[in-house]
Amino acid sequence: MMNVMRLFGGRAASAPVARERLQILLAHERGQGGGGGSDLLELLRGEILAVVSKHVEIDPDKVVVRMDRGKFVSMLEVDIEVPNGVQRSKMVAAT
Amino acid sequence: MAKVLVVTSGKGGVGKTTSTAALGAALAQLGQNVVVIDFDVGLRNLDLVMGAERRVVFDLINVVQGVAKLPQALIRDKRLENLWLLPASQTRDKDALTEEGVRRVISDLRTKFDWILCDSPAGIERGATLAMRYADEAIIVTNPEVSSVRDSDRIIGMLDSKTVRAERGERVEKHLLVTRYDAGRAARGEMLSIDDILEILATPLLGIVPESQDVLRASNVGCPVTLNNAGSAPARAYIDAVRRLMGESIEMTVPVERKGLMDRLLRRRAA
């Protein structure tokens, strides 16, 4: 039926897209107990940065954190620029 | 020079978030550097309407509290490289947003963008007052409906008293954006007309966005309506509005749906 609609100039229904997007989003948000911000990815991000900054001083401006929450798996990408050699600077380590 | 615009209304559900996304995208489509900020702490939705909900890592409150740097919290739109989003936090603690924090974030953004659009939460509480606090101009989103017009009047009063500009004796330029307008119903006297609304609110009109299923379709798929279907009636209304914001003088019309033969035959069953 959808294809017939499309053939006759009707656009693909957008409601299924809305449903799918909401399901993914709410699955993640419900896990946080109403948005307390304590989900696993947040924890991982914080601890990864803490471990790295224990050994090298990292410039918080040079840390890029990207997230892509998916239905079955989510991607957490932590990009940390580590300076060559030991740098003593006034930079504050991010946690 | 950067302009800070607040998109506000008082009443909820009139189309602030939809309009912020559409206006922000339209400005970016015209080559401007744009950031849209969600001020609805605890109930963020601008990310969802813009299709960035899966990519939120940090938010406005993280930046205000120093947990994250501003560039880390900004999310770049996947379709327009000069359109950015600063999401709201889902935290329930609304006091986490401070006036000084918002001032710092906005003055920082002023150095990076041409336009800063602040999507206000409904109501007249802290979130709404902070969203308008540093605005240079305001877009008041109004539906042709008594409660919406009344609340708009209230918000106009706040723009004239509670903003930094007002306190300095300067003016916050105000623009009225009428959304969900049905010209047929207004003509039949079933709905307040544009003239009625303008007479009551005495605020210059920025645009008239017609009631349209394209708006719902756009939010369903997470794409501002000006990007999702640029030729649609609401998209044309938003694009005209943005051109007026940029100083062009464009005749005020109510864009109408361009209905194809098949659309008419099928009476648009697919929504």
Side-chain angles (χ1 to χ4, degrees), chain B residues 2 9 106 124 127 134 151 169 176 197 214 219 237 240 245 260 265:
Chain B
S9 71
I106 288 188
I124 51 170
Y134 300 97
D151 291 358
L176 197 66
I197 299 169
D214 279 292
S219 70
D240 280 356
L245 276 179
L265 284 178

Side-chain angles (χ1 to χ4, degrees), chain B residues 66-87:
Chain B
V67 173
K69 295 274 176 172
L70 185 56
Q72 294 173 330
L74 289 170
I75 302 173
R76 183 180 231 152
D77 188 83
K78 281 199 165 165
R79 298 144 300 214
L80 291 169
E81 62 166 23
N82 48 336
L83 176 61
W84 298 76
L85 163 72
L86 183 54

Side-chain angles (χ1 to χ4, degrees), chain A residues 1 5 8-15 17-18 21-22 24-25 29 33-36 42 45 60-61 63-71 95, chain B residues 44 47-51 53-58 67 69 71-72 78 90-92 214 216-217 219-222 229 262-263 266 268-271:
Chain A
M1 187 56 197
M5 292 293 290
F8 283 92
R11 261 164 288 184
S14 58
V17 182
R21 293 175 61 223
L22 278 172
I24 294 172
L25 179 66
E29 289 195 342
E42 290 298 305
R45 175 185 60 73
D61 286 332
V63 178
V64 182
V65 185
R66 277 188 223 93
M67 188 101 79
D68 189 2
R69 297 182 181 83
K71 197 169 187 178
T95 49
Chain B
R44 74 167 169 233
D47 57 329
L48 190 56
V49 170
M50 296 192 55
E53 75 280 1
R54 290 164 26 153
R55 295 191 288 139
V56 174
V57 186
F58 298 111
V67 173
K69 295 274 176 172
Q72 294 173 330
K78 281 199 165 165
Q90 283 294 63
T91 171
R92 273 172 286 186
D214 279 292
L216 178 60
R217 191 181 289 126
S219 70
N220 274 347
V221 299
N229 186 2
M262 278 337 268
D263 278 332
L266 290 166
R268 298 190 151 233
R269 269 182 294 167

Side-chain angles (χ1 to χ4, degrees), chain B residues 19 33 39 56 59 63 76 86 103 123 129 216 225 239 245 249 260:
Chain B
S19 296
N33 282 320
F39 273 85
V56 174
D59 54 56
V63 177
R76 183 180 231 152
L86 183 54
R103 190 195 61 76
T129 52
L216 178 60
V225 69
I239 291 164
L245 276 179
S249 84

